[in-house]
């Protein structure tokens, strides 16, 4: 995600890194080059030639194209914003689930008249169990990020998961689901042991279910792009319009045709590129969601709840881009 000073108006005008111009400058140059050649030929023929067309078709097509691009970009942004809301939900449920693990898991009273207090050994075991579950939740967040970005990332889970679980993840196609299954198994074991009340188990299971629902919604966005036929149609119309535009405005614009075509091509190609870039909000493009920063923030928040002092630093933007 590109982070800029919204009040630095001139700096925004001069910004190139991460903007659509990085992907579209070749296309804009091609359209401008065609417009330049057409203008030169037009001038050589005394301002009148067979390549002169009526501007009416381009006016009609331009209006329809603007509507199509607007619809596609709105659809892409809806996907982007839904992805951000889902990760916001993941932040909330991770914090809530951690609080529940730290307060609802542990030895409880044997009966109404006997206050069962954990001994030194039992207290240490209780702390180890809670730490293991919270660390597994941290591992889940990182695994989900790698899963959505089609990365391996297994090495980042070292130190967060038990060795046997970590070894089993090497053959898993959906590692986040395997981690939630392990957490669920641990909760059932703690319930059987009497460390989780039946009412509390329902609360913990609800949080785990919500985490799974967030993952499923993210996978839906990732695995269901905008239909290819619609995207290809938009690409083709944009190319035909930008390349053919100079032949429709030569007689009215004259020698300024390349300039006008460059501006129009930059606008249409730019809108087309922006829609393509944010269609998958979980990638590594400059305008995609900063999943690495969100994952690190969740990790720091959860480790602090465990009382850990050695915390990884929060991620900062690099060249104005937060990954």
């Amino acid at each position: 995600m590109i982070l800029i000073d919204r009040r630095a108006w001139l700096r925004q005008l001069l910004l190139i890194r991460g903007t659509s111009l990085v992907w579209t400058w070749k296309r804009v140059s091609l359209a401008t080059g065609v417009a330049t050649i057409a203008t030169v030929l037009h001038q050589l023929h005394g301002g009148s030639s067979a390549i002169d067309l009526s501007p009416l078709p381009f006016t009609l097509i331009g209006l329809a194209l603007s509507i199509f691009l607007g619809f596609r970009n709105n659809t892409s942004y809806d996907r982007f914003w839904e992805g951000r809301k889902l990760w916001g939900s993941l932040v909330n449920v991770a914090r809530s689930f951690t609080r529940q693990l730290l307060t609802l898991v542990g030895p409880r009273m044997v009966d109404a008249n006997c206050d069962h207090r954990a001994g030194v050994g039992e207290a240490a075991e209780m702390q180890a169990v809670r730490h293991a579950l919270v660390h597994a939740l941290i591992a889940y967040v990182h695994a989900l990020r790698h899963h959505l970005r089609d990365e391996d990332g297994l090495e980042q889970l070292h130190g967060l998961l038990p060795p046997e679980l970590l070894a089993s993840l090497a053959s898993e196609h959906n590692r986040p689901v395997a981690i939630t299954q392990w957490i669920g198994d641990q909760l059932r074991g703690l319930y059987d042991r009497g460390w989780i009340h039946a009412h509390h188990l329902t609360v913990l299971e609800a949080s785990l279910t919500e985490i799974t629902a967030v993952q499923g919604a993210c996978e839906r966005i990732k695995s269901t792009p905008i239909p290819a036929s619609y995207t290809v149609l938009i690409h083709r119309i944009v190319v035909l319009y930008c390349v053919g535009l100079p032949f429709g405005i030569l007689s009215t614009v004259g020698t300024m045709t390349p300039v006008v075509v460059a501006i129009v091509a930059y606008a249409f190609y730019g809108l087309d590129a922006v829609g393509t870039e944010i269609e998958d909000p979980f990638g590594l493009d400059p305008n995609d969601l900063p999943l690495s920063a969100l994952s690190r923030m969740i990790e720091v928040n959860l480790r602090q709840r465990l009382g850990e002092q050695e915390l990884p630093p929060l991620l900062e933007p690099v060249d104005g881009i937060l990954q």
Side-chain angles (χ1 to χ4, degrees):
M1 175 179 287
I2 301 176
L3 299 180
I4 58 177
D5 184 356
R6 303 294 174 177
R7 296 167 295 182
W9 185 78
L10 182 60
R11 187 178 302 174
Q12 293 182 46
L13 289 182
L14 301 177
L15 181 65
I16 295 179
R17 178 178 171 82
T19 64
S20 62
L21 190 59
V22 174
W23 292 277
T24 63
W25 69 270
K26 292 182 180 179
R27 297 171 235 172
V28 174
S29 299
L30 174 63
T32 305
V34 172
T36 302
I37 295 173
T39 302
V40 171
L41 294 176
H42 187 263
Q43 294 301 316
L44 290 177
H45 286 80
S48 177
S49 66
I51 61 176
D52 252 343
L53 301 176
S54 169
L56 180 59
F58 295 95
T59 302
L60 298 176
I61 295 175
L63 178 60
L65 184 57
S66 299
I67 296 174
F68 290 154
L69 284 173
F71 173 78
R72 179 171 178 271
N73 281 16
N74 285 339
T75 303
S76 296
Y77 185 76
D78 285 343
R79 295 163 59 86
F80 175 89
W81 184 236
E82 184 182 1
R84 181 59 186 90
K85 289 191 293 184
L86 289 169
W87 269 77
S89 297
L90 182 60
V91 171
N92 294 336
V93 71
R95 292 169 177 169
S96 298
F97 192 43
T98 297
R99 184 186 69 251
Q100 293 163 2
L101 290 173
L102 297 179
T103 57
L104 302 181
V105 175
R108 54 190 176 85
M109 292 195 318
V110 176
D111 56 50
N113 300 317
C114 179
D115 185 9
H116 175 82
R117 298 183 182 276
V120 176
E122 195 174 39
E125 183 183 2
M126 178 179 65
Q127 183 180 19
V129 168
R130 290 172 174 173
H131 279 231
L133 289 171
V134 174
H135 283 172
L137 180 57
I138 295 172
Y140 169 84
V141 174
H142 289 303
L144 178 60
R145 182 185 79 249
H146 293 305
H147 177 65
L148 294 175
R149 287 179 169 176
D150 295 322
E151 300 172 336
D152 183 76
L154 189 60
E155 70 284 348
Q156 191 174 2
L157 307 185
H158 285 270
L160 293 171
L161 298 173
E164 63 277 5
L165 174 58
L166 192 63
S168 68
L169 292 181
S171 60
E172 288 283 351
H173 294 292
N174 196 315
R175 290 170 181 169
V177 168
I179 295 175
T180 55
Q181 179 65 55
W182 182 86
I183 294 175
D185 292 340
Q186 299 305 304
L187 294 178
R188 176 54 193 263
L190 292 170
Y191 168 75
D192 293 340
R193 187 176 178 180
W195 278 29
I196 300 179
H197 192 277
H199 294 169
H200 295 163
L201 182 63
T202 304
V203 175
L204 293 167
E205 177 60 28
S207 295
L208 205 56
T209 300
E210 185 177 353
I211 289 174
T212 304
V214 169
Q215 177 180 341
C218 290
E219 290 174 335
R220 170 175 51 79
I221 293 175
K222 177 178 175 58
S223 63
T224 313
I226 296 175
S229 58
Y230 187 86
T231 301
V232 171
L233 177 63
I234 292 293
H235 291 341
R236 289 173 177 171
I237 295 178
V238 169
V239 170
L240 292 174
Y241 182 85
C242 292
V243 172
L245 180 61
F247 304 107
I249 63 174
L250 276 170
S251 57
T252 55
V253 181
T255 57
M256 292 297 292
T257 296
V259 177
V260 174
V261 169
I263 295 173
V264 174
Y266 172 70
F268 281 161
Y269 281 132
L271 288 172
D272 190 22
V274 168
T276 300
E277 184 179 4
I278 66 174
E279 179 182 347
D280 178 10
F282 307 124
L284 291 169
D285 292 329
N287 288 295
D288 287 336
L289 292 174
L291 300 189
S292 297
L294 290 171
S295 301
R296 180 63 61 82
M297 181 191 68
I298 294 174
E299 178 178 2
V300 171
N301 291 166
L302 271 52
R303 286 184 180 275
Q304 283 188 317
R305 299 283 61 78
L306 294 175
E308 297 183 9
Q309 299 299 320
E310 296 183 5
L311 304 174
L314 295 174
L315 297 184
E316 298 292 337
V318 177
D319 294 332
I321 297 177
L322 186 63
Q323 291 289 352

